[in-house]
Amino acid sequence: MLETRDLHKTYQAGDAKVDALRGVSLKILPGEIVAITGPSGCGKSTLLHILGALDTPTSGQAYVDGLPLHSMNDDALTGLRQLKIGFVFQFFHLLPTLTVEENVLLPLLLSGRADATGKTRAHDLLESVGLSDRRLHRPHQLSGGQMQRAALARALVHRPSVLLADEPTGNLDSASSAAVVDLLTSLARREKTTVVLVTHSVDVAAAADRRIGLVDGRIHS
Ligand code: ADP
């Protein structure tokens, strides 16, 4: 489902060069739930952003569902993101002026699929994450855990093949964190979605099928 070969990413910040990834090769199977762990600055987010077609590698190859991200143009990458990838972020990134339901529908609106079937799908997911009774609320009326559950519904509404989560529990207390991880893993298994999640938390990493440890831009374990 996901593969990288000798992936390198070098950032240029003024005169300084930062080698964020230094030859990462990995394979992630369809339906697998994989946690990427490692100290701050080791390249976890950079790897996730490349896998999610939000950033491009300096060299090496990255494939999603057999599609070569490293040789696709911006339009093709945008199309791939809209169809195949769902994102969950540490700070939720819900749009404050939209209701919970409108936020969840957003990926379908962007790809012209917010029809009756899409709305039923959004309602089903809101029920799965326990937010049916909050669908007309705005994000600021929700707790952190509820916001992340809404963000999870939004990430899955368009049936992506891959769910990418960057510190999905980094801004939650331990009870909300456990609830979000339970929902994320159970929904991903139900929908047969491949998951890559970046986390500092040992408990969150333990919920994955496999852990990949990065140190200094390389796979360490
Ligand atoms: P992690 O997610 O493991 O904390 P990152 O992937 O965010 O690590 O960053 C890896 C390295 O790349 C760090 O040294 C970071 O400072 C650097 N870096 C990340 N993004 C940029 C950028 N846009 N410009 C310059 N350096 C960056």
Side-chain angles (χ1 to χ4, degrees), residues 36-181:
I36 309 280
T37 63
S40 184
C42 70
K44 303 183 295 297
S45 299
T46 301
L47 177 60
L48 204 73
H49 291 167
I50 292 174
L51 290 175
L54 291 170
D55 203 350
T56 50
T58 308
S59 67
Q61 290 97 47
Y63 299 88
V64 171
D65 235 350
L67 296 168
L69 303 184
H70 50 279
S71 58
M72 290 163 66
N73 65 26
D74 282 351
D75 285 350
L77 291 173
T78 302
L80 176 138
R81 264 198 316 273
Q82 286 178 354
L83 275 181
K84 291 193 179 283
I85 316 269
F87 291 99
V88 175
F89 302 97
Q90 179 175 357
F91 296 104
F92 323 127
H93 293 324
L94 296 170
L95 294 186
T97 55
L98 301 184
T99 63
V100 168
E101 180 179 30
E102 288 163 345
N103 267 285
V104 172
L105 275 170
L106 205 56
L108 297 178
L109 284 168
L110 291 174
S111 54
R113 290 180 291 159
D115 53 11
T117 312
K119 285 181 184 151
T120 304
R121 165 82 175 152
H123 287 181
D124 288 349
L125 275 172
L126 279 170
E127 192 169 335
S128 299
V129 300
L131 289 177
S132 291
D133 58 342
R134 301 297 170 112
R135 65 192 177 84
L136 300 179
H137 289 222
R138 310 268 163 198
H140 75 269
Q141 297 170 308
L142 303 181
S143 69
Q146 289 170 332
M147 280 197 257
Q148 197 60 306
R149 286 190 271 138
L152 181 60
R154 178 187 57 188
L156 291 171
V157 75
H158 56 305
R159 300 184 191 280
S161 0
V162 180
L163 175 66
L164 301 176
D166 199 352
E167 297 281 7
T169 63
N171 207 30
L172 301 179
D173 60 47
S174 57
S176 306
S177 168
V180 163
V181 170

